[in-house]
Amino acid sequence: MISRRGDRYEIKGAEAEIKLLASPARLESLRSHALLSGDERIAQISTTYFDTPDNRLQSAGASLRLRFSGSHREQTFKCLPTGGSCIERTEWTVPATGDRPDLMLFSASQRGVIAALLAGGEFSVVATTSVERRTRLVRHGRSLIEAAFDVGSIEASGRTETISELELELGEGDAIDCLRLALALRPGPDLRWSIEAKAQRCLALATGHPPQTARARPVAVSRDQDIPAAFQEICWNCLEQVLGNYALVAERHDNEAVHQCRVAFRRLRAALALFGKVIDRVGATDFRARFKQAADALGPARDLHVLLERISAHDALAGSYESAIGARLASELTRRRDAEVIAAGTRLLGEDFQSLLFELAIWVESRRAASDMVRQAAPDRLPVFAASVLKRCRHKLHHTGRHLRAMSDHDLHHLRLTVKKLRYSVGFFAALAATPEDRISAANHEKLLGKLQDTLGALHDLATASAGPPWLSDCEPELIAELARRLASANRSRHQLLHRAHRRLEHERKIPHWWNPAARETDVTHSDASLASYTEQLRQLQIGLSCMQRQVIADQRKLLIIIEGRDAAGKDGTIKRIVEHMSPRATRVVALGLPSEDDRKAWYFERWCRHLPVAGEVVLFNRGWYDRAGVEHVMGLCTEDEYEEFMTTVVLFEQLLEHSGFTILKYYLDISKDEQKRRLRDRDHDPLEQWTNSPLDRKATRNWENYSKARNAMQARTHSVFAPWVVVRADNQPAARLGIIRDLLARCGTGDENEEVLPAPSVTFVYDPVALDKGWLAE
């Protein structure tokens, strides 16, 4: 809805916003464009952006700004959307009273989110912008759209950058009209689509660090979606990955951005191939061909970069000194790669590619209008459709790769394409897994396919170099021979690579049919404890934990593990086995007691923020902040208002931690009532265990039903894709300990040497409401 405030318009509840970066000359010419004509309002806007010294807000995809326009002042907090298309925007705006943001002006839940990001840190000015904004309300199709012409500058750290852009914001109508208007303006090198916010540009200017490449986000399809809606979600996900990277290729010649663009194109083509028959065969075929051309244009640049990396890594590992011919080869490959990247960037900024992006977005959005027709052509529900797709792709992989060791280089290349298609399909549909153990299987499936793809890729690189790449056909023969020699030395032998590929393909055959739970019955009584080799298994898994920790330190990751469960569920023993052989200098266990009076006066999460891991550290919370959802709620140690505020804000808090670079793993150890009684009784008679008893433990069984209700509410309301609950069936302690460590290694990565280690889905599974219905949670 559109309203008027002073000398400017306001759009409430906008559904779409498209930003077009324009050259000053092009922006000026657009002001006289017939499609953008209308009454014009002019405002001088000054905006100040704030962040902590270590840029916590921006690293979480959030921003805090103070805006002045005449006598009007407002403060705005923005954070990343959790789903939907990349043209949707969400923000919190309230009036401002001073020269600095006043967080108390936001609502209580909003303050909780912001405070979680700031974590007690003081925010200060990052950059300022000064913009002349000319706004017009234009009618396009059946929609009313606000067109805002922004001209000005960003100032930060003594540096200045110009602002010249056009924003199209939907007021009333359909988002497709915004896209059609943008396409009608003929985007190209001097008018390109961007999803980079001003706050991101401000931080980049202030720090001097260029924007980072964008990897694909998890696809958030759901079982209750129809096929067109799922197709839209997948295509927008791919398109967002393109928009986050193509400008980095064109403007910064970023080689990783080249790779991410190619991945996005391939994922998009896979989606068009999978859905094309039931969505629009003709349209899908056309877009597949056009995006293949775009991907092919990036091929030489990416292949040259991979060759350079592979050769350089081998030489560094071997301590080799570069020979004269080696120096000439590296120089020639670098020259050709840089030239190919520049050429690729020019194509990506060209009018043909810019128009292709908008035409695809319009076509994708228009698929919903044809939903009724699609349902008649494909009456099956989305899970049934996904199952048929995955079954067909996997059958093709097994049929094509049945004689892998004897395959030619040409056939191995086509096998790699088959693996990619199946891998992308698994990524598209993983969220549709019907049961918790199937979701784990889907994640393992995608990871394994990625490893198989990498092995086949190494074989392809070896074959390409030996045959002479077509884009090196005019190169000196001795340089081509040197390239083949170095690549053969850098890679394992072809025989070794074939053996590894065969082994991974055989392992892929053992992945359960997670997309079709009717095809398999999980034996929920299976337990690792029945294996006599528990001690040896634990030793091997603890070796894996040591490897994982070394990787956490090397990658400077911040790993937070939350262990929750009923009294006597085995939290202490599990944590002991996890940290037993990990480095005490990079590992901490946090087990806070009931909050003090001072803690009760502070923001609830504040005392936990002090114990969060730093880069390169692993921290385990024994219960953690979920005390409020469990024991505090059941025993009346918090008010209902405090409980509700926690349940409302904890998901946002964890989401912002995840955006800030934290990896959060949440485990719930679930035991039966009889097992809890037995363990509590045994504690009373064991002098080594008596210290673990507390007055609250003695009330645990009497409050069993209340704790069950609290557990169910906690898992249902605080489970999320970025911090999911993993349930561990803990009646059998050895099985639970093995299961939780296996899940840790599967989620955090253990290296090639432990690729066979997988969690047992009958013991450890991702939370799902059906687990309660099927009796997998203790009642």
Side-chain angles (χ1 to χ4, degrees), residues 48-58 63-66 75-77 98-104 106 111 114-115 117-127:
T48 304
Y49 290 87
F50 297 83
D51 207 335
T52 61
D54 54 355
N55 306 315
R56 298 178 192 174
L57 294 180
Q58 188 58 50
S63 66
L64 179 64
R65 76 185 187 201
L66 196 63
Q75 59 186 32
T76 300
F77 178 79
D99 294 332
R100 285 176 56 83
D102 183 356
L103 302 187
M104 296 304 297
F106 291 103
R111 289 199 305 272
I114 301 171
L117 273 178
L118 296 175
E122 290 293 326
F123 55 83
S124 58
V125 175
V126 172

Side-chain angles (χ1 to χ4, degrees), residues 6 89 183 244-245 314 373 378 409 430-431 526 561-562 570 593 607 734 755:
R89 292 290 180 266
L183 178 60
N245 290 290
H314 172 262
M373 179 184 66
D409 292 332
H526 171 74
I561 304 168
I562 300 175
R607 67 179 185 142
E755 66 177 10

Side-chain angles (χ1 to χ4, degrees), residues 696-711:
L696 291 177
D697 290 343
R698 296 184 175 88
K699 300 178 181 179
T701 53
R702 294 201 300 270
N703 288 283
W704 178 268
E705 292 185 0
N706 291 333
Y707 274 112
S708 293
K709 292 177 182 178
R711 174 204 62 194

Side-chain angles (χ1 to χ4, degrees), residues 566-571 671 675-676 679-680 683 697 733:
R566 297 180 189 265
D567 297 315
K571 299 182 290 296
I671 60 172
E675 180 64 18
Q676 185 186 53
R679 292 186 187 181
L680 291 174
R683 283 182 181 181
D697 290 343
Q733 285 184 328

Side-chain angles (χ1 to χ4, degrees), residues 75 77 92-94 102-115 603 645 648-649 652:
Q75 59 186 32
F77 178 79
W92 304 328
T93 299
V94 295
D102 183 356
L103 302 187
M104 296 304 297
L105 296 176
F106 291 103
S107 69
S109 61
Q110 293 168 354
R111 289 199 305 272
V113 173
I114 301 171
W603 177 51
E645 177 159 350
T648 302
T649 59
L652 294 172

